[in-house]
Amino acid sequence: MVHLLLFSGVQAPLQVRYSRPAKPKYDLPPLVHRALHTALDSKPASASYDAASDLLVIPRPGTLHKHSWDECSLADYDVTVKIQLVNKGTPASYAAHIAEALKTLAEQKGLELLDTVLVGLPKDESASTWVELWKTLTSGEIKNVKHWGTLNLLEPVLTELVAVKVPVANELNTTDCYTLPKEYTAFASSHNIQLWASGGGAGPDPLPAADLHNLLHEFKSVLGGLVPASSTPTLSSIVPVAADGSSFCEQAKPDVAVDWVVTYTLLSRTRNIVKDKGYIVSAKSV
């Protein structure tokens, strides 16, 4: 079972080759499509496979711009990270994935001192799971994160978390926060929780497995030359869109599963410009 780490910037998105459901609209698949072409169309392909760990990294480590400790420790810079966990798990497995994501970000991008980290769990995760994980994250054991926040939580679960420690912010998959119920915004305001709005399909599944499968299918011949046959995902055919165009065909199961997606942003406070932004996708063959 090959593990995949895929790094994408925010360079000009490239429309996906194979159709996907018209709604909801996602920003990430076209960005990943561009990143795959940039890395795998080069000769040789910019990728690295480690047989011992069965890990495939695209593009090759060392080709990414890596920030220095001195640069990120400057008071002028603000680093915001969003970690969306995709598959159902336990508080312990969620904590392990978050630690893995932060370690990857530090090793590959040099972003170790983090101002704000927002965490999202799979859709409809229970309040008790959230609380147990929240206690772990806010215990102070993770020294390089100043503030913890959440992704796409509504008031009932936020109320439970506030009793442990107030999240610094909660980002919602909406174009603006002015359309939220007044009771919700009043609750957030009363506890000094910042409400951030996010569009572009950000949510509990920012890169559906069917999207990633179809993106990788386009490059299956290149991938076959990078990874041993015993580990290569089958990718024999694309995952088709249902006849009504509303979803991917449920009978066609993807050959890959996404574990987590990280979004990172390095902002210059004084100049109010983004110095670096990108995504990291962790996935595995199934």
Side-chain angles (χ1 to χ4, degrees):
M1 178 176 65
V2 67
H3 291 261
L4 170 68
L5 274 181
L6 174 62
F7 294 82
S8 170
V10 291
Q11 64 271 46
L14 182 63
Q15 184 61 41
V16 297
R17 179 175 180 178
Y18 304 109
S19 61
R20 69 168 320 280
K23 293 183 179 180
K25 183 180 179 181
Y26 290 94
D27 285 344
L28 192 48
L31 293 172
V32 169
H33 190 209
R34 173 67 70 185
L36 286 169
H37 268 291
T38 300
L40 301 182
D41 286 350
S42 63
K43 305 296 181 184
S46 180
S48 174
Y49 175 71
D50 180 70
S53 59
D54 220 6
L55 176 66
L56 175 66
V57 182
I58 304 173
R60 185 182 301 107
T63 63
L64 299 167
H65 176 67
K66 187 172 182 179
H67 301 278
S68 67
W69 174 274
D70 291 340
E71 179 186 4
C72 296
S73 63
L74 293 174
D76 180 52
Y77 288 124
D78 181 282
V79 183
T80 299
V81 177
K82 303 168 191 176
I83 305 174
Q84 178 61 57
L85 306 179
V86 177
N87 298 312
K88 284 279 189 179
T90 64
S93 69
Y94 290 149
H97 276 311
I98 292 168
E100 176 189 33
L102 295 180
K103 180 181 179 182
T104 301
L105 185 64
E107 290 181 346
Q108 302 298 333
K109 291 293 298 179
L111 298 176
E112 299 181 52
L113 301 176
L114 310 177
D115 294 275
T116 305
V117 176
L118 306 185
V119 174
L121 298 187
K123 188 178 180 180
D124 299 327
E125 186 55 273
S126 68
S128 60
T129 296
W130 262 107
V131 168
E132 189 172 344
L133 173 65
W134 195 242
K135 289 178 179 177
T136 300
L137 296 180
T138 60
S139 65
E141 292 184 10
I142 303 177
K143 305 296 184 183
N144 62 322
V145 177
K146 292 182 182 178
H147 305 291
W148 290 96
T150 56
L151 296 169
N152 300 302
L153 280 189
L154 296 180
E155 186 177 339
V157 179
L158 275 178
T159 302
E160 299 284 339
L161 299 192
V162 164
V164 178
K165 187 171 183 177
V166 178
V168 67
N170 180 47
E171 183 176 279
L172 299 158
N173 185 24
T174 179
T175 54
D176 63 70
C177 292
Y178 297 104
T179 56
L180 295 173
K182 291 183 179 179
E183 314 84 70
Y184 181 79
T185 55
F187 170 83
S189 177
S190 67
H191 290 90
N192 294 317
I193 300 173
Q194 301 172 38
L195 293 182
W196 297 357
S198 172
D205 196 8
L207 182 63
D211 277 285
L212 181 59
H213 173 108
N214 286 355
L215 289 167
L216 294 175
H217 172 83
E218 184 178 345
F219 301 92
K220 63 179 182 179
S221 60
V222 178
L223 295 173
L226 295 171
V227 180
S230 59
S231 295
T232 307
T234 306
L235 301 172
S236 56
S237 59
I238 66 169
V239 178
V241 176
D244 63 1
S246 64
S247 62
F248 285 107
C249 181
E250 294 184 3
Q251 288 73 32
K253 299 298 182 183
D255 290 330
V256 292
V258 177
D259 290 322
W260 48 261
V261 175
V262 160
T263 308
Y264 59 87
T265 306
L266 177 63
L267 176 72
S268 169
R269 293 187 181 98
T270 56
R271 301 177 65 188
N272 196 30
I273 60 172
V274 175
K275 299 285 290 184
D276 193 6
K277 182 175 181 178
Y279 301 86
I280 308 173
V281 177
S282 173
K284 59 180 177 290
S285 60
V286 295

